[in-house]
Amino acid sequence: MYVYDAIDQRMVDERVAQYRDQTRRYLAKQLTDDEFRPLRLQNGLYIQRHAPMLRVAVPYGMLNSRQLRKLADIARRYDRGYGHFSTRQNLQLNWPRLEQVPDILAELAGVQMHAIQTSGNCIRNITTDHFAGIAPDELVDPLVWCELLRQWAALHPEFAYLPRKFKIGVSGSPADRAATLIHDIGLQAQRSDDGAIGFRVLAGGGLGRTPILGQVVREFLPWQHLLTYLEAILRVYNRYGRRDNIWRARIKFLLRAKGLEAFRAEVEDEWHWSKDGPGTLTGAEVERVSRRFTRPVYRRLPDSGELHRQLAASRAFALWHERNVHAHRVSGYRAVTLSLKRRGVAPGDVSAAEMDAIADLAERYGCGEVRVSHEQNIVLADVAAARLHALWLEARALGLATPNVGLLTNIIACPGGDFCSLANARSIPIAADIQRRFEDLDYLFDIGELDLNISGCMNSCGHHHIGHIGILGVDKQGSEFYQVSIGGAQGAHAALGKVIGPAFSADEVGPAVECLIECYLARRDSDAERFIDTVRRIGLEPFKEHVYGKRRSQGTHRVRALATA
């Protein structure tokens, strides 16, 4: 866990003072709405459908228990007693009062937190693998590199007003649990044959209205050049990115317009002027940042024989262990996912009481550290294997032990039309209906691994394009409809889903998902074949025929069509 130094603390304290005065001037009508908008956005404040929304930065998804308790306290005193973890690993508060936001930011600064650059046309929160530093398959621990990027990007004057928002993802594992291919810049850590650390650099990824996977701009970038090379990419983007059309302003459109080779040549030419210059990283600088991280002190723990007996004695515990407990690079330890995907609760939502309880669990069973995953769950990174059963009992009592990680009901969803002013349709009721239909654990485990993602609009905050099943809310003459796609995937073999056909009304989405699952179970070639593998093997047509054909033959519902985009 990174600990602020004096410079970090001074920066966030000064930012709070600046924003407090900006808010005072706005409320006194000394600043217009247009003047205040970029100021509030770069301090994380949106104006949503019903109230302001404050997005709190959780750098690369890491919190300590003190910070989580502070978020719980803020949610109680300034909001409605809960928060929402987003796919960018941040926390969103949906009901703060605009005039109280400077006070919230001051309290966040007191626990080394902020909301800087969680919105606006700037470099957003740097994200990474929620198992960073502990995953057995990791080539490089990405945390220090994420922190170096955070310090470089925070309030960078040259990149404060980019053509559009800009997202960077870093992966230290070949599995790419950070979904780097859908970022404006994706960094995949590498080791050369001689053991030197570097990064494969991708650019031009992004979802939204025109989903595109990132392309490799440089196959291996030595770590010393990380900042100067990224500066070169951003300068090219800042120079040529469109500012006349918000729908064509992301870097993916620039890369597509220029072509990969021409874009790469522009970057290399720009890099020529800064390569080996003052921005070049040194071993001393990397060590300075590394020293600011607290590290767990691991004991030598054998795998617990008692754990094996507990698994044999309790099927419920065994199911949870199978889905929510993950390998750790240190023998005798495990990582544990606390599921925020419960029936009756919006995906990613967590109450203030639950935040306090999770902080307690992190201290008693871990090292006081909490991770936020881009799948909107919570991870305790360092749990002794011998204590898993005790943790499970407590998590189950709190409603945080649903054994569904990697399964259909582990739904990723944006807040949708219930909160977001940009949304065309609601996401939360659709997620609730699907969770209800598939709550039988035996059936859920029989279906196996399946990612289902929901977005309320084309901005794709729910990452619907890379769900094995993706659901997108669309508007037709003021009514909510939903397009369904299949075949998307995240990770090292990322893919974009394809729409199966005409859109569905809200009450038809759940039955359509059931039909997709029926087709998969009937057509898979073995119990081990995953949904995504079946889609890749047989294509879309069998699924399309089953969904639309069955509904026509039953005659119980009329499939109301919307022309696909």
Side-chain angles (χ1 to χ4, degrees):
M1 185 75 200
Y2 181 77
V3 178
Y4 278 12
D5 62 14
I7 296 173
D8 294 311
Q9 190 64 55
R10 178 178 175 181
M11 183 183 78
V12 296
D13 288 341
E14 289 182 350
R15 190 65 167 184
V16 171
Q18 291 167 359
Y19 186 66
R20 189 182 295 280
D21 186 58
Q22 290 162 356
T23 302
R24 178 193 63 77
R25 287 187 285 147
Y26 173 71
L27 293 174
K29 301 188 183 306
Q30 296 170 1
L31 293 175
T32 66
D33 286 346
D34 288 343
E35 290 170 331
F36 186 58
R37 184 180 298 109
L39 303 176
R40 65 169 170 77
L41 286 175
Q42 289 215 356
N43 286 278
L45 190 65
Y46 286 79
I47 303 301
Q48 294 283 66
R49 188 177 297 273
H50 305 295
M53 181 271 281
L54 180 66
R55 182 178 292 147
V56 178
V58 182
Y60 36 92
M62 295 188 71
L63 292 164
N64 61 38
S65 56
R66 180 175 174 232
Q67 291 171 330
L68 189 56
R69 288 195 181 96
K70 173 53 69 175
L71 292 174
D73 179 53
I74 288 171
R76 284 192 189 93
R77 293 191 292 114
Y78 294 99
D79 207 273
R80 295 189 179 180
Y82 73 98
H84 172 78
F85 285 112
S86 74
T87 53
R88 194 112 208 107
Q89 300 176 301
N90 293 319
L91 181 87
Q92 296 180 176
L93 298 170
N94 289 313
W95 303 96
R97 293 168 55 188
L98 186 148
E99 64 270 21
Q100 291 184 324
V101 169
D103 295 330
I104 296 174
L105 298 180
E107 297 209 27
L108 289 172
V111 293
Q112 303 188 356
M113 296 187 74
H114 62 80
I116 297 169
Q117 292 179 202
T118 58
S119 182
N121 294 333
C122 54
I123 299 173
R124 301 284 186 90
N125 190 33
I126 311 296
T127 60
T128 191
D129 183 353
H130 43 279
F131 299 134
I134 63 167
D137 65 345
E138 198 168 69
L139 298 175
V140 174
D141 180 349
L143 292 176
V144 170
W145 308 104
C146 287
E147 177 57 29
L148 282 161
L149 289 171
R150 184 195 71 84
Q151 294 187 16
W152 161 76
L155 305 182
H156 195 306
E158 189 173 353
F159 308 134
Y161 295 99
L162 294 167
R164 196 72 173 87
K165 60 186 177 182
F166 203 91
K167 299 177 181 180
I168 301 173
V170 186
S171 174
S173 163
D176 191 13
R177 287 176 291 268
T180 59
L181 274 76
I182 62 167
H183 283 75
D184 297 282
I185 290 178
L187 298 172
Q188 299 173 346
Q190 309 282 313
R191 284 192 181 272
S192 65
D193 292 341
D194 62 0
I197 295 174
F199 299 89
R200 178 184 294 120
V201 182
L202 301 96
L207 301 180
R209 189 174 298 271
T210 306
I212 298 175
L213 297 180
Q215 300 182 67
V216 177
V217 179
R218 192 173 185 90
E219 191 62 43
F220 186 86
L221 177 73
W223 63 265
Q224 294 90 339
H225 301 299
L226 179 62
L227 301 187
T228 57
Y229 195 78
L230 264 60
E231 281 187 346
I233 292 175
L234 277 149
R235 284 174 179 158
V236 170
Y237 174 49
N238 220 1
R239 185 183 309 143
Y240 297 114
R242 293 185 64 171
R243 297 175 185 272
D244 63 325
N245 186 338
I246 191 173
W247 308 116
R248 292 289 182 268
R250 298 289 292 270
I251 192 173
K252 61 187 178 184
F253 295 106
L254 174 62
L255 198 151
R256 188 170 71 173
K258 283 185 171 292
L260 177 61
E261 293 305 320
F263 179 84
R264 183 185 288 131
E266 289 275 5
V267 171
E268 293 289 327
D269 183 62
E270 180 63 42
W271 190 39
H272 168 77
W273 301 102
S274 57
K275 183 181 179 182
D276 299 320
T280 305
L281 286 170
T282 64
E285 177 65 2
V286 175
E287 178 60 23
R288 176 191 69 81
V289 172
S290 182
R291 284 197 305 268
R292 302 302 304 177
F293 277 85
T294 58
R295 306 286 183 177
V297 178
Y298 296 112
R299 295 172 291 153
R300 301 187 67 174
L301 299 174
D303 278 339
S304 171
E306 180 62 22
L307 172 62
H308 299 301
R309 289 189 289 274
Q310 291 164 340
L311 290 169
S314 171
R315 182 172 181 272
F317 176 54
L319 291 176
W320 177 79
H321 186 274
E322 178 183 344
R323 300 310 316 177
N324 294 39
V325 177
H326 318 277
H328 197 290
R329 65 177 178 81
V330 178
S331 178
Y333 288 87
R334 304 288 188 273
V336 171
T337 297
L338 301 177
S339 176
L340 300 183
K341 314 299 174 61
R342 298 78 51 85
R343 184 177 176 185
V345 180
D349 276 11
V350 58
S351 71
E354 288 168 340
M355 289 188 228
D356 283 334
I358 292 168
D360 291 342
L361 294 178
E363 290 174 346
R364 289 204 305 279
Y365 293 98
C367 58
E369 178 186 286
V370 170
R371 314 279 187 98
V372 182
S373 77
H374 77 272
E375 295 181 338
Q376 301 174 289
N377 288 317
I378 296 292
V379 173
L380 304 183
D382 303 290
V383 180
R387 304 199 67 201
L388 287 171
H389 188 264
L391 171 59
W392 170 69
L393 290 173
E394 291 201 45
R396 186 173 64 166
L398 293 166
L400 299 172
T402 307
N404 63 349
V405 174
L407 301 180
L408 190 153
T409 59
N410 184 38
I411 297 169
I412 294 174
C414 69
D418 286 305
F419 295 96
C420 182
S421 58
L422 300 177
N424 295 313
R426 294 173 296 168
S427 301
I428 295 171
I430 302 301
D433 182 49
I434 294 170
Q435 286 171 327
R436 178 184 61 79
R437 291 171 185 272
F438 293 94
E439 64 183 352
D440 181 272
L441 284 179
D442 289 332
Y443 188 41
L444 198 61
F445 272 72
D446 184 40
I447 294 168
E449 292 187 19
L450 200 160
D451 296 336
L452 190 149
N453 299 5
I454 307 173
S455 298
C457 76
M458 285 300 299
N459 283 316
S460 192
C461 294
H463 293 178
H464 68 277
H465 291 293
I466 57 169
H468 297 161
I469 298 175
I471 299 171
L472 167 66
V474 294
D475 174 81
K476 182 184 179 184
Q477 298 177 351
S479 297
E480 295 179 337
F481 280 76
Y482 298 84
Q483 287 181 348
V484 175
S485 59
I486 62 174
Q490 59 177 308
H493 304 289
L496 302 172
K498 296 181 180 178
V499 177
I500 64 170
F504 302 92
S505 62
D507 62 348
E508 294 170 336
V509 176
V513 172
E514 289 180 325
C515 286
L516 290 172
I517 300 305
E518 288 173 4
C519 181
Y520 155 62
L521 294 176
R523 301 294 292 265
R524 65 183 179 184
D525 65 4
S526 71
D527 290 348
E529 186 175 58
R530 301 175 304 162
F531 179 90
I532 183 63
D533 298 325
T534 302
V535 174
R536 288 168 176 168
R537 180 171 56 83
I538 69 175
L540 269 64
E541 284 305 314
F543 290 93
K544 182 176 180 177
E545 291 171 7
H546 188 75
V547 171
Y548 295 100
K550 182 173 181 179
R551 297 177 72 75
R552 283 194 299 268
S553 64
Q554 287 179 339
T556 55
H557 294 281
R558 182 170 63 90
V559 179
R560 287 171 283 180
L562 174 70
T564 56

